[in-house]
Structures are given as structure tokens and as C-alpha cells.
Amino acid sequence: MKKFILALAIITCSPAFAATEQKVEDLDTEVEAETLEVFEHRKMEEQAEREARDFDRQAKQLEQEIKQLKSESKKISGRLESQTARFKRIAKLAAAAEVRAKALQAQRNQLKARLESLNARIQQSQSRLSTATEMQSQMNKDIRNGEKEKRELTLRHKAAEQRIARAQAAIKKMRQQQKRLSQQNNRMADKVATRERMAEQLEEMSLESEL
């Protein structure tokens, strides 16, 4: 950069150098080279500045990402601690639930055994009830038959009593008749005997008369 400024000063300020064309051409070439070098150098500087700006931007972005990652890491760490505590609580609750489940399972088994026993007893009771019902039905049938037979026997008893009463009345009447007949027969027998004696006496008297 300094050489370029110096060359320009020499060209503008030194007329002696302007006379020499070869020197001017050499100076132009040198200036052009310097210009190119300065341009390339500036271009490189601009490129370096752009790269530096990009690097700074990337660095800032990376720093933000690092901050974000740290924040997320803290959040994750907090969530991890929370989840760990929750896991411990859940594990504790799961252990308690398992103990309770085992107790409930044992209680369920006991209740199931009692239920099976109760079902067996119910079946026995139902069987006994069915037998008792059948016996009751048969006994009711027997009672109905007995009551029917009792009614029939009662009717027959009444009929027999009536027949006995009629027979007793007839017997009494026949006895009275028999007694009267006996009395009549006795009187008749007395009369007959008297008549026979009289007949015999008369016959004897008749025979004696004939003699």
C-alpha cells in the first residue's frame, strides 16, 4: 500500500521521471503489480473479515447453542431428578401394591375356597330341599289320600252305624215278636196239652164205656 502511494507521488511530483518512458512503463508495471497485490490483499482481508464475521457468528451461534444445551441439560437434569424421585415413589408404590396384591390374592383364594364350600353346601341343601319337597309332596298326597279314605271310612262308619241301628231295631222287634210268639206258643201249648189230656180222658172214658 505504501509503495503504491509512493509511486503515485513520484509520478505526479517528478517531471524528470515522466521523460523516461521505459521507467514509466516499468513503474506502471510495478504499480499494476502492486495494485493487483493490494487488490488481492484487500480481497483476502475482506475474505478474512467475512470469514471472521462468519466465525464470530458461528461462535455466537455455537455459544447460544451451548447455552441452550446447558439450559436443556439443566432441564433434563431436573426432569431426570424428578423422574428419578417419581420412579422411586412409583417403585415404592409398586412394592406396596404388590404386597397388597399378594394379600388380596390370598384373601381371594380364601374367599374362593369359602365360596366353593358354600356352593357345595348350597348344592347339598338344594338336594335335601328337593328330597324334602318330594317327601312333602308325597306326604301331602298321602294326607289327601288319608283324608279321602277317612271321609270314605266316616261315611262307611255312618252307614254301618245306621245299618247296625236298623239291625238292632229289627232284632229288638224280632225279639219282641219272638217273645210274643213264645208266649203265644206257650199258651197254645198249655191249651193243646189241656186238650190232649181232656182227649185222653175222654178216650179212656169212651173205652171204659165200651167195655
Side-chain angles (χ1 to χ4, degrees):
M1 187 71 180
K2 292 179 180 181
K3 292 180 179 180
F4 178 74
I5 295 171
L6 182 61
L8 289 176
I10 292 171
I11 292 171
T12 55
C13 298
S14 301
F17 288 99
T20 309
E21 184 179 356
Q22 183 66 35
K23 291 182 178 181
V24 172
E25 289 179 359
D26 293 339
L27 184 60
D28 290 336
T29 303
E30 185 178 356
V31 169
E32 185 178 357
E34 290 290 335
T35 302
L36 291 174
E37 184 179 357
V38 170
F39 179 75
E40 290 177 358
H41 183 69
R42 184 177 297 174
K43 188 175 182 181
M44 290 176 65
E45 288 179 350
E46 291 177 355
Q47 182 68 26
E49 289 177 356
R50 284 196 300 271
E51 290 178 356
R53 286 194 299 270
D54 293 337
F55 180 77
D56 290 338
R57 186 173 58 253
Q58 292 177 2
K60 290 180 180 179
Q61 185 177 358
L62 182 60
E63 185 177 358
Q64 291 178 355
E65 291 178 356
I66 291 172
K67 289 180 180 179
Q68 186 177 359
L69 288 173
K70 286 182 178 180
S71 177
E72 291 179 356
S73 177
K74 288 182 180 179
K75 291 180 181 179
I76 292 172
S77 178
R79 290 176 60 188
L80 181 61
E81 291 178 357
S82 176
Q83 292 295 330
T84 302
R86 183 182 178 187
F87 172 75
K88 289 181 180 179
R89 290 195 302 271
I90 292 173
K92 186 176 181 180
L93 291 174
E98 186 176 0
V99 172
R100 182 172 176 79
K102 289 181 179 179
L104 290 175
Q105 182 67 26
Q107 186 178 3
R108 176 179 175 273
N109 292 333
Q110 291 178 357
L111 291 175
K112 186 177 180 181
R114 290 176 61 186
L115 180 61
E116 290 176 354
S117 176
L118 183 60
N119 285 330
R121 291 172 61 186
I122 288 173
Q123 289 179 358
Q124 292 177 358
S125 299
Q126 287 178 348
S127 178
R128 291 173 60 187
L129 177 61
S130 178
T131 303
T133 302
E134 292 177 358
M135 290 179 63
Q136 184 179 5
S137 177
Q138 185 64 35
M139 290 177 69
N140 288 329
K141 184 177 179 181
D142 294 339
I143 289 171
R144 288 193 298 271
N145 292 332
E147 289 177 350
K148 182 179 179 181
E149 186 178 359
K150 180 181 178 181
R151 289 193 297 271
E152 292 176 354
L153 290 173
T154 301
L155 293 174
R156 289 174 63 185
H157 180 265
K158 288 181 179 180
E161 289 289 336
Q162 291 175 359
R163 289 174 64 187
I164 289 171
R166 288 195 297 269
Q168 288 178 348
I171 290 170
K172 184 177 180 180
K173 185 177 181 181
M174 291 175 68
R175 283 179 180 176
Q176 291 175 356
Q177 290 178 357
Q178 184 181 9
K179 184 177 181 180
R180 286 195 298 273
L181 287 172
S182 178
Q183 291 174 353
Q184 290 175 1
N185 288 334
N186 289 331
R187 288 193 297 271
M188 184 64 70
D190 292 338
K191 288 179 180 181
V192 170
T194 300
R195 294 293 181 181
E196 286 179 349
R197 284 194 299 272
M198 288 178 65
E200 288 178 355
Q201 290 176 359
L202 290 172
E203 286 178 351
E204 288 179 356
M205 290 175 63
S206 176
L207 289 173
E208 289 178 355
S209 297
E210 290 178 356
L211 292 175

